[in-house]
Amino acid sequence: MENYPKVTVLDHPIIQHKVALLRDKNLPCGSFRQLVHEISMLEGYEALRGLPTELRPVSTPIADTEQPHIVARNICFVPILRAGLGMADGLSSLLPEARFGHIGLYRDEVTHEPHEYYCKLPNNLSELQVYLVDPMLATGGSAIDAVRMLREHGAKKISFLCIIAAPEGVNAFVEKCPDIPLYICALDERLNENAYIVPGLGDAGDRIFGTQK
Ligand code: PRP
Ligand code: URA
């Protein structure tokens, strides 16, 4: 990824450990959801590192002072439904006053093309720092389409956070969205013939919501 200055693969051992646990096909649904929550918090902590702060007055028991605060209402997290919802609470716990938008996309099982079914975003999106989130970046089609939708609604400052990415998806995303910072917890080997990430973790939405067979 050294040729991709906007791509960050988070190499913290705690994140790597939690992603390794997440991959286990025998992990129960509740534990899976809890790990996605924890990983999202840790990823958000890293991805929001560059946020601007403003000095605001605070009175401690000892003295009046000015201390840095984040203007959380200028932040908007946008999960891609369904699986992105699993990341929402972890991010929200970092900044409870942040706004949320939602984009609904599903991948056609045969063509693997994304299909839009929902979009609800704050009306002042152009003023907000937007963090688009989805655990999986496979072909990249869903993330690229979601960025297009965000831009059509005026978003100017966008970052994308995923948990597991395939090289194919990263290449496609960087080609179409070269200006967008991309954060990845684990960069896997490849896609299989069904466009699932190998080794991956299977279908993230099914595992978060317990809808798999
Ligand atoms: C999954 C995942 C991404 C997409 C990634 O969603 O959550 O949105 O696939 O694949 P891509 O990079 O090839 O587009 P899915 O379409 O399975 O919907 P779901 O979250 O409702 O299960
Ligand atoms: N979507 C998923 O949930 N998992 C994959 O491996 C690819 C797309």
Side-chain angles (χ1 to χ4, degrees):
M1 291 294 118
E2 54 276 4
N3 294 331
Y4 290 161
K6 295 277 187 186
V7 178
T8 304
V9 182
L10 301 171
D11 57 3
H12 196 292
I14 295 286
I15 293 184
Q16 291 177 341
H17 171 74
K18 288 184 187 292
V19 175
L21 297 176
L22 199 59
R23 296 179 189 273
D24 181 355
K25 66 180 181 184
N26 295 316
L27 190 70
C29 165
S31 308
F32 189 93
R33 209 180 291 140
Q34 176 62 25
L35 277 169
V36 170
H37 174 91
E38 293 168 11
I39 292 164
S40 306
M41 276 184 70
L42 295 167
E43 185 173 21
Y45 178 78
E46 282 296 325
L48 274 60
R49 182 183 284 281
L51 275 183
T53 56
E54 63 178 33
L55 291 178
R56 290 188 196 161
V58 182
S59 297
T60 79
I62 308 299
D64 293 339
T65 176
E66 289 202 323
Q67 297 295 324
H69 287 68
I70 294 169
V71 185
R73 65 177 184 281
N74 292 343
I75 310 295
C76 182
F77 297 119
V78 180
I80 302 178
L81 310 181
R82 283 179 305 168
L85 281 178
M87 299 177 72
D89 279 355
L91 295 164
S92 175
S93 61
L94 291 176
L95 287 174
E97 305 306 329
R99 298 162 196 268
F100 270 88
H102 296 88
I103 288 178
L105 295 173
Y106 73 89
R107 230 174 49 143
D108 184 280
E109 282 182 15
V110 177
T111 65
H112 310 130
E113 291 292 320
H115 292 270
E116 176 186 341
Y117 62 87
Y118 189 75
C119 183
K120 187 76 178 172
L121 299 164
N123 54 15
N124 62 339
L125 205 62
S126 63
E127 299 159 21
L128 307 181
Q129 173 67 57
V130 178
Y131 293 93
L132 180 67
V133 303
D134 189 322
M136 309 304 276
L137 180 67
T139 65
S142 303
I144 291 165
D145 218 34
V147 167
R148 175 191 59 74
M149 292 164 70
L150 290 171
R151 286 190 163 137
E152 283 174 6
H153 284 78
K156 295 189 175 68
K157 292 172 280 183
I158 308 171
S159 298
F160 179 57
L161 280 63
C162 66
I163 296 180
I164 299 184
E168 294 89 330
V170 176
N171 290 336
F173 188 84
V174 170
E175 187 183 324
K176 298 281 186 196
C177 312
D179 53 323
I180 296 193
L182 166 60
Y183 295 88
I184 302 167
C185 297
L187 181 62
D188 276 11
E189 288 168 22
R190 61 183 169 86
L191 296 178
N192 69 12
E193 58 284 5
N194 297 317
Y196 273 82
I197 300 174
V198 180
L201 50 70
D203 187 305
D206 279 348
R207 296 201 60 191
I208 290 169
F209 296 107
T211 45
Q212 74 271 30
K213 292 183 205 87

